[in-house]
Amino acid sequence: MALRTIVTYPHPVLRQEAEPITVFDQELKTLVEDMAETMYQAPGVGLAANQVGVARQVVVVDRSTAESERTYITLVNPEISDGEGSVTDEEGCLSVIECYAKVERFRKIHVTARDVEGNPLEFDAEDRYARIIQHEVDHLRGTLFIDRLSSLKRALYKKKLKRILQERE
Ligand code: NI
């Protein structure tokens, strides 16, 4: 396992439509293990492959509980359907530095995907788990949570980011 570098907005790979996975091989397993390690080190609760510079349809989502630390689910080629209800809650993103904002999401979703071996997965997700999956699947479509904010909030963030990046130079 190895840590990978998390790319940050406005890196163009975050805007790429991720390619579906067709081969379930060791390279994919290594990518997933690296992504999980990178997510926990950050620390974060979800990570999409675009965020480590790989525009392929893979996400990892934390499922740790008090009893089982560092447990995560891998979703390959995930699809969301049957969104129900709506909840507005705060989100952040490892690829969008110093930005937290309220985003509206479905409260409940149906998810179909493959696991890292290529086996089909199908389940319902609710609340926080559903929110993370929606956020990560957005990444695979080249969408960031800031795209879901008002244009005013987005403009303010872009201004703030410009200042932060200038200060870092
Ligand atoms: Ni994110």
Side-chain angles (χ1 to χ4, degrees):
M1 292 209 290
L3 284 176
R4 303 218 182 180
T5 304
I6 296 176
V7 299
T8 57
Y9 174 80
H11 194 293
V13 73
L14 296 171
R15 292 306 190 188
Q16 272 184 47
E17 178 91 10
E19 294 288 331
I21 297 289
T22 52
V23 182
F24 294 81
D25 58 3
Q26 186 55 46
E27 190 191 334
L28 177 64
K29 286 196 181 88
T30 303
L31 171 65
V32 166
E33 285 169 9
D34 289 356
M35 283 172 60
E37 192 182 350
T38 305
M39 171 177 78
Y40 286 119
Q41 204 265 341
V45 291
L47 195 71
N50 313 44
Q51 295 182 271
V52 293
V54 179
R56 302 181 75 192
Q57 291 188 22
V58 184
V59 308
V60 291
V61 177
D62 178 51
R63 293 297 279 151
S64 300
T65 61
E67 295 77 43
S68 60
E69 279 179 34
R70 293 201 169 197
T71 304
Y72 62 91
I73 187 167
T74 306
L75 302 176
V76 175
N77 304 340
E79 297 280 350
I80 291 172
S81 60
D82 302 329
E84 281 177 40
S86 95
V87 187
T88 300
D89 204 354
E90 193 158 86
E91 285 186 26
C93 178
L94 296 173
S95 293
V96 183
I97 60 167
E98 295 191 37
C99 187
Y100 297 89
K102 299 227 174 195
V103 181
E104 187 181 3
R105 299 282 187 187
F106 290 123
R107 193 191 72 76
K108 185 180 173 189
I109 53 172
H110 187 72
V111 180
T112 54
R114 300 266 167 187
D115 69 12
V116 71
E117 310 276 350
N119 303 305
L121 292 176
E122 189 166 3
F123 59 94
D124 289 330
E126 294 182 12
D127 302 320
R128 182 170 175 273
Y129 187 30
R131 172 172 300 275
I132 300 170
I133 294 172
Q134 289 171 84
H135 177 116
E136 300 312 328
V137 170
D138 265 0
H139 274 297
L140 301 182
R141 314 288 184 247
T143 300
L144 297 170
F145 84 101
I146 50 173
D147 301 335
R148 298 187 178 278
L149 306 180
S150 69
S151 53
L152 173 66
K153 280 188 182 159
R154 198 162 47 248
L156 285 172
Y157 174 66
K158 284 181 183 172
K159 221 173 178 179
K160 177 180 163 184
L161 179 65
K162 204 174 165 187
R163 203 176 57 234
I164 294 167
L165 296 179
Q166 275 169 354
E167 282 167 5
R168 283 185 182 180
E169 268 169 19

